[in-house]
Amino acid sequence: MENKLSVYYVAHVKRELCWLLSAVFRGTEHIAFDRVLDKEQSLFEFFVPQDTEPIFLDMIAFLKKKEVVLSLEKRDNRLASRLP
């Protein structure tokens, strides 16, 4: 069976601009699914389809230039351990 899991990223976002990050990704369908991982630390997690990863990374690069995203880390998909 082929692995179809999304690529997984975690980002630290400037607290007062979290709304902007969410708006950007909700306004661009099917690029990535985002949600808050840790509200106190302004950490977001992203589930990114493999085919849209280059577009996602371009968007993040732009948001980093605008100092919305402070850091981004690619991690193992945390949902992988739930698969049979």
Side-chain angles (χ1 to χ4, degrees):
M1 185 172 165
E2 186 179 339
N3 181 357
K4 288 288 188 178
L5 285 178
S6 298
V7 183
Y8 184 73
Y9 286 90
V10 174
H12 181 224
V13 179
K14 193 174 204 174
R15 169 164 270 165
E16 58 270 18
L17 296 175
C18 288
W19 67 270
L20 180 61
L21 177 102
S22 289
V24 165
F25 282 99
R26 288 199 171 76
T28 54
E29 292 184 29
H30 311 298
I31 301 300
F33 172 77
D34 69 287
R35 69 181 190 178
V36 176
L37 185 60
D38 185 325
K39 182 178 176 181
E40 298 303 317
Q41 295 183 38
S42 300
L43 286 177
F44 277 71
E45 66 181 349
F46 298 92
F47 295 90
V48 184
Q50 294 174 8
D51 293 345
T52 65
E53 188 177 18
I55 299 165
F56 169 78
L57 292 173
D58 285 345
M59 292 172 71
I60 291 292
F62 176 80
L63 292 168
K64 277 185 166 182
K65 284 182 190 174
K66 298 297 181 182
E67 298 180 349
V68 175
V69 174
L70 304 174
S71 67
L72 181 72
E73 180 182 351
K74 187 174 186 177
R75 296 184 183 172
D76 291 335
N77 189 321
R78 67 180 182 81
L79 300 180
S81 63
R82 296 183 180 183
L83 293 177

